[in-house]
């Protein structure tokens, strides 16, 4: 009788056929899916030093970008004093949604990731976001990372040092921003200025506290700019050249620029105080200029205001909740405070996979709301009934993936929006609801954003980088006639004007501008072509929206490190202290026209070029066989990560076969194809181990065969997996009845998985996840190896309060047939309070219920040597119940009540102590048991 876990066997076939997945994968077969919605035929454009990977639709865009890439490479080669040993690979995607489907990295990619450079092969992956200026900046930023990695590799190799770490992340990202653009932009100044003035700017010794946050990136950028401006860019490169001197960054810093980390921090802080403190004298804080509508410690943006059918003014906004963006209606309570009512939850279903936080506005029309959310592979425009809180209609457009800021005409028959097409170009589009016809309003290389329909006429205002200074990320406000498609310039200059919003009478519009170096709100008088300043805040205010009675406006302000909604009074000419004539530049950007439209670089079809992803040695573990012995694993993949090859090899220590090396040899080969939505794997394997237990008899067993698996994701949240394994089994045992059994088996497994959970520190926060697996093993020789298994696992999580979670789990497993499996219960991973695997049977049932809550959010000891900080400590109250049946000793329902406390190490496994008392549901034990758990909470 052999032991075979249905879930384990399925996972073995599905992910490799090599039979060496990690135990954690077998225990937690959940997780969201990366969906490759369409297969792409890739091309390669070769500049003198860079291989640019793209697909045919992007050819014109890549031809435009290629000279920028090559020019940047030559510029950086001189700055870094470096010659690349190999050609630099750059993978280009025409939209962010295509970029999110990349297989270069296995993890899911956030909407806020602008690009990345992988550390293993130095590949750069970049999406088109609609703005060629932003694309150029991201290319330059990511190429700095590639040059830094190559520089360190060359330096350390020359010094015969092959084991080293990279510089701290704040240094890495700050260097990339500084070399990519020597002048900080308005947004970078905003973050650092606000943090400094409100006392939130961390010193460099403690910057690890915000490791990986956006604020860390911006502070790092400011520090590197200080080094570059005072010591020259050569000093930054010299730090890399001196990296071999020490593993301690402060020592390398001291030997290069004469300042250690504390001295650098002191000099940096003094410099930015001199720069930003004077702003307090002539500007004000957002809460002093307007009324803050949203509470502290929250995030809100993109307000929309509508006059409801009941005559009430309705406010809507995007807001962060539980780590994702939701769409809220802001309602006034009895005390006049604003309360949030959730209209649409983001990141919980395929209809609203994500809601963009910044790039797309909301628009209210009475009780109806217009907004954008990602729906499967592309954005959809939703028309929402806010009274009944349900969808009226949604619109998707083949060929348009990323859609932003839909705006509807007053009569509701026309919708204008900004979108990126399959070539990567961002333009304005008009959709006529009455006829269902889609029209293109613009067709050019410029970015057109934030359109807004005139309240009575067929005119739409929008922002664009098409003016003369557009190459410096300078935008102006333009107007397009929907009927004639004629574009008229309204503002343009050495500043960025964006987010226009028509007044209810159509005579003026509000917009955001950084013409004074800070994002503030201005009013444009269309008839007189005057610009009237509305705010002068020290942080920054953007995305204004008129109140229906035109008495004021609501805008999103950055204050004390948070985005809030503020209501400001509207200033007319007499009340405003700053009135100016609108500057109009009707010329188009010379940067656009100066780039060649045709290049002579070689273009060829994509061919697989394999590179090493991973190689390692150590103890391999098969969750079915147990320890397989010393061995190694090697993983290769192509540049795109679409074709992956895995090889496993090793030997098993087996006393019964010490003299036969080949019988102790374990090896496997697997190929995974990820080019399409339907992923598949094929592989071969040969494994030998001593297996079994007290009940199924220990024996030596060798298996060799072939395996194939498929995985089809229906969406980011659900998928179906299947596998088929053909194998020979050769068993040797001292037990006469089982001695020298051989057979030929076929196993088929089918699994359905669903997971829409939202996570917090220590485990899931809300949502549900479940999977069910059915497996069938057929013995083609009829020697008693037939087996059927069923596994079902469902988990549900409720957020009771901030940081408080009610978690439930139900798991049942069953084995049928002559070659059955035994399942176990007992131990800290399932039925707590009992010995590990104390209960066993062919059927098991397990129910877990637990309330998790914070105990200590922050705990530190101040010592002469410095502060020692402890991670988040949480508590838990739990109840477990379980039973086993259909074997030697069936049990009734058994249970456990207990309490636990755990150290939470971020999103890593927890270290937990449980105190339990057992119950048979007629009495509770008087003994309190203790158990230690290190792992992932269910």
């Amino acid at each position: 009788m052999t032991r075979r876990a249905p879930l384990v066997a399925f996972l073995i076939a599905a992910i490799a056929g090599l039979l060496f997945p990690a135990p954690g994968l077998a225990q937690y077969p959940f997780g969201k899916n990366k969906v490759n919605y369409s297969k792409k035929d890739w091309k390669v454009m070769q500049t003198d030093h860079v291989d640019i990977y793209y697909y045919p639709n992007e050819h014109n865009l890549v031809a435009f970008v290629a000279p920028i890439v090559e020019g940047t490479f030559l510029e950086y080669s001189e700055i870094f004093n470096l010659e690349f040993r190999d050609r630099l690979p750059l993978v280009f995607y025409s939209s962010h949604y295509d970029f999110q489907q990349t297989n270069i990295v296995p993890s899911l990619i956030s909407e806020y990731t602008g690009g990345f450079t992988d550390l293993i092969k130095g590949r750069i992956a970049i999406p088109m976001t609609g703005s060629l200026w932003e694309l150029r900046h991201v290319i330059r930023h990511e190429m700095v990372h590639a040059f830094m990695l190559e520089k360190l590799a060359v330096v350390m190799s020359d010094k015969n040092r092959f084991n080293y770490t990279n510089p701290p992340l704040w240094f890495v990202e700050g260097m990339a921003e500084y070399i990519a653009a020597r002048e900080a932009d308005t947004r970078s100044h905003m973050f650092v200025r606000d943090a400094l003035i409100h006392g939130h700017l961390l010193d460099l010794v403690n910057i690890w506290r915000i490791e990986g946050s956006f604020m860390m990136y911006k502070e790092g950028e400011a520090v590197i700019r200080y080094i570059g401006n005072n010591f020259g860019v050569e000093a930054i490169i010299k730090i890399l050249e001196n990296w071999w001197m020490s593993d301690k960054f402060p020592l390398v810093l001291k030997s290069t620029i004469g300042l250690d980390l504390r001295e650098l921090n002191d000099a940096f802080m003094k410099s930015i105080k001199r720069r930003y403190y004077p702003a307090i004298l002539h500007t004000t804080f957002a809460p002093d200029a307007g009324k803050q509508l949203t509470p502290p410690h929250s995030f809100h943006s993109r307000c929309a205001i509508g006059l409801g059918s009941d005559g009430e003014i309705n406010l809507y906004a995007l807001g962060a909740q539980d780590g994702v963006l939701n769409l809220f209606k802001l309602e006034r309570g009895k005390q006049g405070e604003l309360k949030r009512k959730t209209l649409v939850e983001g990141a919980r279903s395929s209809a609203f996979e994500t809601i963009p936080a910044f790039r797309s506005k909301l628009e209210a029309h009475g009780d109806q709301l217009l907004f954008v959310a990602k729906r499967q592979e592309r954005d959809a425009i939703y028309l929402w009934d806010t009274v009944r809180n349900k969808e009226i209609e949604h619109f998707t457009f083949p060929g348009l993936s990323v859609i932003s800021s839909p705006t509807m005409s007053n009569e509701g028959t026309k919708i204008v929006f900004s979108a990126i097409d399959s070539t990567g170009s961002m333009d304005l589009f008009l959709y006529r609801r009455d006829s269902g016809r889609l029209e293109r309003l613009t067709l050019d290389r410029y970015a057109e954003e934030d359109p807004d329909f005139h309240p009575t006429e067929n005119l739409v205002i929008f922002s664009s980088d098409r003016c003369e200074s557009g190459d410096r990320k300078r935008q102006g406000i333009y107007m397009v006639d929907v009927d004639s498609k004629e574009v008229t310039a309204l503002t343009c200059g050495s500043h960025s004007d964006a987010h226009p919003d028509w007044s209810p009478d159509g005579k003026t519009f509000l917009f955001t501008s950084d013409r004074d170096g800070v994002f503030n709100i201005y009013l444009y008088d269309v008839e007189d072509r005057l610009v009237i300043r509305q705010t002068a805040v020290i942080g920054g205010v953007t995305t204004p929206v008129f109140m229906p009675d035109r008495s004021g406006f609501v805008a999103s302000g950055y204050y004390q490190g948070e985005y809030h909604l503020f209501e400001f009074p509207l200033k007319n000419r007499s009340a405003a202290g700053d009135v100016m004539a609108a500057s109009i530049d009707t010329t188009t950007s010379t940067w656009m026209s100066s780039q060649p439209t045709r290049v002579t670089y070689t273009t060829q079809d994509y061919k697989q070029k394999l590179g090493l992803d991973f190689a390692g040695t150590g103890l391999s573990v098969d969750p079915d066989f147990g320890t397989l012995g010393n061995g190694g694993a090697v993983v290769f993949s192509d540049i795109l990560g679409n074709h992956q090859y895995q090889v496993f090899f090793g030997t098993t220590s087996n006393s019964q076969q010490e003299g036969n090396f080949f019988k102790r040899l374990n090896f496997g080969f697997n190929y995974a194809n990820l080019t399409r939505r339907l992923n598949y794997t094929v592989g071969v394997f040969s494994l030998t181990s001593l297996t079994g237990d007290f009940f199924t008899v220990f024996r030596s067993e060798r298996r060799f065969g072939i395996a194939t698996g498929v995985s089809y994701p229906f969406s980011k949240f659900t998928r179906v997996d299947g596998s088929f394994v053909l194998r020979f089994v050769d068993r040797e045992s001292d037990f006469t009845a089982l001695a020298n059994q051989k057979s030929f088996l076929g196993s088929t497994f089918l699994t359905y998985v669903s997971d829409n959970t939202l996570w917090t520190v220590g485990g899931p926060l809300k949502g549900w996840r479940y999977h069910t697996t059915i497996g069938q093993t057929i013995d083609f020789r009829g020697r008693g190896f037939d087996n059927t298994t069923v596994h079902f696992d469902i988990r549900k999580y409720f957020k009771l309060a901030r940081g408080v979670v009610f978690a439930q789990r139900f798991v049942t497993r069953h084995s049928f047939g002559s070659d059955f499996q035994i399942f176990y219960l007992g131990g800290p991973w399932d039925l707590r309070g009992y010995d590990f695997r104390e209960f066993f049977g062919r059927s098991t049932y397990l129910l877990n219920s637990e309330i998790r809550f914070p105990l200590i959010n922050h705990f530190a000891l101040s010592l002469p040597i410095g502060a020692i900080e402890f991670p988040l400590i949480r508590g838990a109250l739990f109840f477990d119940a379980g039973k086993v049946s259909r074997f030697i000793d069936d049990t009734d329902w058994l249970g456990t009540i207990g309490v636990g406390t755990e150290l939470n190490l971020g999103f890593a496994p927890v270290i937990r102590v449980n105190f339990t008392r057992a119950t048979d549901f007629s009495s509770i034990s008087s003994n309190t048991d203790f158990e230690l758990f290190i792992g992932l909470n269910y």
Side-chain angles (χ1 to χ4, degrees):
M1 293 181 293
T2 57
R3 290 179 57 239
R4 279 190 293 276
L7 179 58
V8 166
F10 163 73
L11 288 168
I12 288 169
I15 69 169
L18 297 182
L19 293 96
F20 65 102
L25 187 62
Q27 294 177 26
Y28 300 95
F30 295 105
K32 299 180 177 66
N33 313 307
K34 179 178 289 188
V35 187
N36 193 339
Y37 286 100
S38 60
K39 183 180 182 296
K40 296 177 174 61
D41 296 320
W42 288 85
K43 302 286 184 180
V44 184
M45 179 177 290
Q46 294 183 316
T47 71
D48 294 339
H49 300 91
V50 183
D51 290 334
I52 304 177
Y53 297 82
Y54 68 100
Y55 32 96
N57 285 348
E58 303 173 298
H59 181 79
N60 290 337
L61 185 58
V62 170
F64 179 83
V65 168
I68 299 173
V69 172
E70 180 64 22
T72 302
F73 187 97
L74 296 176
E75 176 190 344
Y76 288 179
S77 295
E78 184 175 345
I79 291 174
F80 283 83
N81 189 25
L82 177 68
E83 290 187 11
F84 259 68
R85 296 167 294 181
D86 298 302
R87 296 179 61 81
L88 177 63
L90 190 153
V91 185
F92 192 67
Y93 299 88
S94 65
S95 75
H96 202 281
Y97 292 153
D98 283 354
F99 172 64
Q100 289 179 314
Q101 298 172 34
T102 181
N103 290 313
I104 293 176
V105 292
S107 57
L108 296 177
I109 296 177
S110 165
E111 178 187 351
Y112 310 108
T113 302
F116 65 82
T117 303
D118 92 277
L119 299 178
I120 298 176
K121 297 180 181 178
R123 293 167 292 185
I124 297 173
I126 294 175
M128 178 59 179
T129 59
S131 167
L132 287 172
W133 183 92
E134 289 183 0
L135 176 64
R136 176 178 178 269
H137 180 76
V138 173
I139 288 172
R140 292 177 59 83
H141 178 104
E142 295 301 332
M143 286 182 69
V144 173
H145 291 324
F147 269 80
M148 185 207 74
L149 293 172
E150 183 74 4
K151 182 73 173 182
L152 288 178
V154 170
V155 167
M156 302 306 277
S157 177
D158 289 345
K159 298 297 181 179
N160 294 317
R161 290 194 58 186
F162 302 99
N163 185 19
Y164 60 93
T165 59
N166 290 323
L169 187 58
W170 67 263
F171 179 90
V172 171
E173 294 298 337
M175 177 178 63
E177 277 297 288
Y178 174 68
I179 294 179
R182 297 302 172 87
E183 294 183 7
D185 61 17
T186 305
R187 195 173 302 276
S188 296
H189 286 300
M190 179 181 75
F191 287 114
V192 177
R193 181 176 59 245
D194 179 87
L196 173 70
I197 291 175
H198 292 103
H200 298 156
L201 198 66
L202 292 178
D203 60 78
L204 295 180
V205 177
N206 291 305
I207 199 172
W208 58 269
R209 298 175 185 273
I210 54 172
E211 180 81 8
S213 69
F214 190 74
M215 192 61 230
M216 184 222 66
Y217 282 52
K218 296 294 102 179
E219 183 173 349
E221 175 187 345
V223 175
I224 298 301
R225 290 193 188 282
Y226 173 81
I227 296 175
N229 293 338
N230 288 274
F231 299 93
V233 68
E234 298 84 3
I236 300 172
I237 306 305
K238 192 65 177 177
I239 291 174
L240 302 180
E241 293 175 348
N242 290 340
W243 201 246
W244 61 273
M245 292 182 176
S246 175
D247 294 328
K248 299 184 182 299
F249 179 69
L251 295 181
V252 177
L253 200 64
K254 180 76 172 181
S255 64
T256 306
I257 65 173
L259 302 175
D260 63 18
L261 202 59
R262 292 184 182 276
E263 293 168 333
L264 173 62
N265 179 77
D266 183 61
F268 164 69
M269 287 294 182
K270 289 177 180 177
S271 71
I272 61 169
K273 287 175 182 178
R274 287 192 293 267
R275 174 166 192 163
Y276 293 130
Y277 275 169
I280 300 176
L281 299 176
H282 57 269
T283 56
T284 187
F285 295 101
D288 297 329
K291 180 181 179 182
Q292 184 171 327
L293 302 178
T294 48
H297 312 302
S298 65
F299 168 91
H300 294 84
S301 69
R302 289 294 192 175
C303 180
I305 305 175
L307 193 62
S309 56
D310 57 1
E312 293 292 324
I313 296 176
N314 297 320
L315 273 68
Y316 310 92
L318 298 177
Q321 187 177 50
D322 303 327
V324 298
L325 262 292
N326 293 339
L327 177 56
F328 296 102
K329 181 178 181 181
L330 304 177
E331 300 178 324
R332 296 207 176 271
K334 295 181 180 179
Q335 306 299 323
E337 76 282 7
L338 285 177
K339 295 183 177 181
R340 301 196 305 185
K341 174 186 176 182
T342 303
L343 297 181
V344 179
E345 284 189 285
R348 300 295 304 281
S349 69
S350 58
F352 307 101
E353 189 173 302
T354 57
I355 302 175
F358 295 105
R359 66 170 167 85
S360 183
K361 72 173 185 177
L362 313 175
E363 184 170 278
H365 288 262
D367 294 321
Q368 297 180 354
L369 194 64
L370 204 62
F371 65 94
V372 162
K374 185 173 186 284
R375 184 183 181 95
Q376 295 279 4
E377 64 181 310
R378 58 172 59 91
D379 279 335
I381 297 174
Y382 285 89
L383 187 59
W384 198 263
D385 187 323
T386 62
V387 176
R388 296 183 298 167
N389 198 24
K390 63 181 298 184
E391 175 189 323
I392 299 172
E393 195 173 4
H394 75 266
F395 314 96
T396 59
F397 306 97
L400 302 181
S401 57
V402 179
I403 296 174
S404 300
S405 300
T407 179
M408 190 163 62
S409 60
N410 189 51
E411 76 282 1
T413 61
K414 296 182 284 291
I415 296 176
V416 171
F417 56 91
S418 174
I420 299 177
D421 65 15
S422 59
T423 70
S425 176
M426 174 184 278
D427 290 298
L428 292 181
F429 293 83
L430 167 67
Y431 177 67
R432 299 183 184 273
R433 294 180 64 196
D434 49 2
S435 64
R437 191 170 78 250
L438 181 69
E439 301 176 13
R440 197 168 197 138
L441 294 181
T442 60
L443 179 58
D444 48 54
R445 288 177 175 165
Y446 307 109
E448 284 96 19
E449 302 175 279
D450 293 306
D452 191 55
F453 235 117
H454 192 277
T456 58
E457 302 178 37
N458 275 341
L459 300 174
V460 172
I461 49 176
F462 62 96
S463 63
S464 176
D465 58 3
R466 64 180 60 216
C467 57
E468 173 61 28
S469 52
D471 61 309
R472 296 170 55 200
K473 189 49 181 172
R474 304 306 183 190
Q475 296 175 291
I477 306 297
Y478 293 80
M479 184 166 59
V480 60
D481 187 302
V482 171
D483 297 322
S484 67
K485 300 181 182 180
E486 181 182 354
V487 175
T488 304
L490 300 179
T491 74
C492 189
S494 58
H495 45 72
S496 287
D497 297 340
H499 314 128
D501 181 72
W502 282 113
S503 62
D505 59 10
K507 296 180 179 180
T508 60
F509 62 82
L510 292 166
F511 65 97
T512 303
S513 181
D514 66 351
R515 56 189 64 204
D516 65 346
V518 180
F519 292 123
N520 273 294
I521 307 303
Y522 295 81
L523 179 75
Y524 185 96
D525 187 309
V526 177
E527 182 178 352
D528 296 332
R529 293 192 173 184
L530 291 177
V531 174
I532 306 169
R533 186 188 186 111
Q534 299 295 308
T535 65
V537 301
I538 197 169
V541 188
T542 62
T543 60
V545 181
F546 270 103
M547 296 293 288
D549 60 1
R550 204 177 174 275
S551 61
F553 60 93
V554 176
S556 177
Y558 187 73
Y559 177 68
Q560 290 194 338
E562 299 169 349
Y563 281 95
H564 291 286
L565 299 182
F566 296 88
E567 183 178 352
F568 299 95
L570 191 68
K571 298 178 181 178
N572 55 33
R573 294 187 202 177
S574 58
D578 197 351
V579 180
M580 65 204 81
S583 59
I584 302 175
D585 185 353
T586 58
T587 60
T588 56
S589 172
T590 56
W591 178 67
M592 298 288 187
S593 59
S594 64
Q595 297 298 320
T597 56
R598 294 184 180 181
V599 295
T600 58
Y601 298 132
T602 302
T603 298
Q604 59 188 28
D605 293 336
Y606 172 77
K607 295 180 181 179
Q608 288 190 44
K609 181 181 178 181
L610 298 182
L612 181 65
D613 286 333
F614 171 82
T617 60
L619 190 70
S620 292
V621 175
D622 166 32
D624 192 11
F625 263 8
T627 300
L628 293 181
N630 293 316
V634 180
V635 180
F636 298 91
S637 70
D638 65 330
I639 290 293
L640 300 174
N642 291 335
H643 303 274
Q644 300 178 1
Y645 303 83
Q646 303 167 330
V647 179
F648 162 77
F649 50 89
T651 57
T652 300
S653 177
N654 189 330
S655 60
Q656 296 184 20
Q657 297 176 336
E658 289 294 339
N660 192 327
F661 171 79
F662 291 102
K663 284 191 175 182
R664 292 187 292 110
L665 180 64
N666 293 304
F667 71 88
F669 169 80
N670 184 76
Y671 165 70
N673 187 300
L674 310 179
T675 58
R676 296 174 174 83
R677 186 169 188 167
L678 179 68
N679 300 159
Y680 68 87
T681 63
V682 292
V684 297
F685 59 89
S686 176
L687 298 173
T688 303
S689 183
L690 186 68
T691 187
D693 51 40
F694 177 79
F695 302 103
T696 58
V697 184
F698 290 95
R699 74 272 179 188
S700 173
E701 185 167 309
R702 183 185 180 196
R703 302 178 182 183
F704 56 94
I706 60 174
T708 181
V710 295
S711 179
Y712 186 87
F714 296 106
S715 70
K716 181 180 179 179
F717 308 99
T718 60
R719 72 176 184 272
V720 62
D721 298 325
S723 66
F724 181 67
V725 184
L726 286 175
R727 62 191 181 280
F728 287 95
V729 176
D730 184 358
R731 176 187 303 156
E732 296 180 7
S733 175
D734 292 333
F735 187 57
T736 305
L738 299 177
N740 301 321
Q741 287 188 334
K742 299 180 180 180
S743 194
F744 179 48
L745 311 179
S747 297
T748 302
F749 298 92
L750 185 66
T751 296
Y752 181 79
V753 182
S754 183
D755 188 338
N756 76 343
T757 52
L758 301 180
W759 279 65
T760 185
V761 173
L765 175 65
K766 62 190 299 186
W768 49 262
R769 52 186 1 194
Y770 69 87
H771 81 83
T772 181
T773 298
I774 300 175
Q776 177 71 51
T777 296
I778 299 175
D779 185 344
F780 294 109
R781 294 182 177 178
R783 296 180 178 178
F785 287 87
D786 298 280
N787 178 255
T788 301
T789 52
V790 177
H791 184 113
F792 179 73
D793 186 334
I794 183 168
R795 309 176 188 194
K796 180 70 175 176
Y797 307 91
F798 301 89
K799 178 186 175 184
L800 303 182
R802 184 171 183 176
V804 181
V805 180
F806 178 41
Q808 291 183 299
R809 173 174 68 172
F810 175 70
V811 182
T812 183
R813 295 170 291 180
H814 305 272
S815 173
F816 310 94
S818 56
D819 188 21
F820 59 84
Q821 170 174 347
I822 296 173
F823 300 107
Y824 298 87
L825 283 183
W829 282 270
D830 43 61
L831 187 58
R832 292 166 285 196
Y834 295 91
D835 291 339
F836 180 64
R837 291 190 167 187
E838 182 175 347
F839 309 105
F840 41 86
R842 297 181 66 178
S843 292
T844 64
Y845 305 86
L846 173 68
L847 175 66
N848 302 107
S849 293
E850 179 170 282
I851 296 178
R852 302 167 186 156
F853 49 87
L855 285 177
I856 301 176
N857 288 326
H858 183 262
F859 177 51
L861 293 177
S862 181
L863 301 174
I865 60 173
I868 299 177
E869 299 197 28
F870 294 86
L872 173 68
I873 300 176
R874 295 203 307 174
L877 300 174
F878 60 85
F879 165 75
D880 296 345
K883 65 175 293 186
V884 298
S885 62
R886 301 176 56 240
F887 197 50
I888 296 174
D889 186 16
D890 294 358
T891 69
D892 293 325
W893 282 96
L894 301 172
T896 307
I897 59 174
V899 298
T901 183
E902 64 187 30
L903 292 179
N904 284 238
L905 308 175
F907 291 90
V910 301
I911 302 173
R912 176 165 170 166
V913 175
N914 290 329
F915 299 92
T916 64
R917 288 192 176 187
T919 177
D920 59 3
F921 295 99
S922 61
S923 63
I924 299 176
S925 171
S926 60
N927 296 324
T928 300
D929 293 324
F930 161 88
E931 64 183 13
L932 177 66
F933 170 79
I934 301 178
L936 299 173
N937 282 324
Y938 71 82

